Amino acid sequence: MKRLLLGGSLVPLLLLATACTGSDADSEAGPAPATQTAATTAFADCGTLTAPLSAPASGSAPASGSAQGKPGSTGSGEPLPALSLPCFTGGTQVSVGALRGPAVINLWASWCGPCRKELPAFQRLSERTAGTLRVVGVSTQTGRSAAQSIGEDFGLRFPTLYDPDNRLRLALRRAVMPITLFVDGQGRIRHRDETGALDDAELADLVRQHLGVAVSS
């Protein structure tokens, strides 16, 4: 498969050919409302995202060195970008750079087909690793009503940040979607995956390999 050098990484042209490099026509760009109605059924509060989390249940250390897995996966050790985004529920500002893992941060958009395909797997991951792993969503370059609809349709309950202006993806210097970050207890990105839709088995393997967390079946 031909690849294109983009942002220092080789990105498959097939990924760039998908709808996951564009933007939501119903973007409703602008700041998030300060409050959310009580009728909201999607997404959880973000109040504990910057608090310490317990050690990985497996007791194993994350793998070191370059990331393995599907072609296009990349690894790094840089800290999370120092910016703040509002929580989708309530609008409280959350410092992304202060997030501590072990955590999986998934950037998704309503206009991205692979994003929609993999979101249910992230919900299942959050349920299977409750208390040992944080699963955090980032609604990216997507209108509030479209994101809310996806959250309700897919039954998403994990905390989600609201990024209609694409700030986090720009800070990461990435062009494709979805993007999934695997973050350690010091807030460092141990692995970045942008290979397309991840399934349950792939997520479990990546979490074990890079964060040392065992995922229950």
Side-chain angles (χ1 to χ4, degrees):
M1 180 183 295
K2 293 184 180 179
R3 294 172 179 266
L4 174 68
L5 184 62
L6 187 63
S9 298
L10 286 172
V11 180
L13 288 178
L14 179 59
L15 287 177
L16 294 177
T18 69
C20 296
T21 56
S23 62
D24 187 3
D26 180 32
S27 62
E28 301 173 14
T35 60
Q36 180 107 350
T37 64
T40 296
T41 59
F43 312 122
D45 183 73
C46 308
T48 63
L49 290 183
T50 58
L53 190 61
S54 60
S58 66
S60 60
S64 59
S66 61
Q68 300 176 7
K70 295 190 292 184
S73 299
T74 56
S76 64
E78 78 258 24
L80 286 164
L83 56 85
S84 294
L85 295 173
C87 183
F88 195 95
T89 302
T92 302
Q93 291 291 319
V94 176
S95 173
V96 174
L99 291 177
R100 293 296 177 263
V104 173
I105 302 175
N106 178 244
L107 283 69
W108 60 271
S110 64
W111 41 266
C112 170
C115 299
R116 295 193 300 272
K117 182 178 179 180
E118 71 178 1
L119 277 171
F122 282 93
Q123 175 57 35
R124 291 189 291 270
L125 179 67
S126 72
E127 295 167 358
R128 292 167 179 166
T129 59
T132 60
L133 177 76
R134 284 194 170 102
V135 175
V136 183
V138 182
S139 173
T140 303
Q141 209 173 1
T142 295
R144 193 172 185 86
S145 61
Q148 179 70 36
S149 177
I150 285 178
E152 292 175 353
D153 290 347
F154 293 164
L156 305 181
R157 299 294 180 265
F158 49 82
T160 295
L161 304 178
Y162 184 52
D163 189 13
D165 299 320
N166 204 29
R167 294 175 59 208
L168 181 54
R169 186 167 64 145
L170 290 174
L172 292 168
R173 302 180 301 279
R174 313 315 299 167
V176 299
M177 289 283 279
I179 303 168
T180 302
L181 309 176
F182 295 79
V183 180
D184 67 15
Q186 288 71 49
R188 296 174 304 208
I189 302 171
R190 305 311 308 178
H191 177 61
R192 182 179 61 240
D193 193 281
E194 48 195 42
T195 59
L198 295 170
D199 60 26
D200 294 85
E202 290 168 329
L203 274 174
D205 183 62
L206 289 168
V207 166
R208 177 197 57 77
Q209 179 183 351
H210 298 287
L211 301 178
V213 177
V215 180
S216 62
S217 57

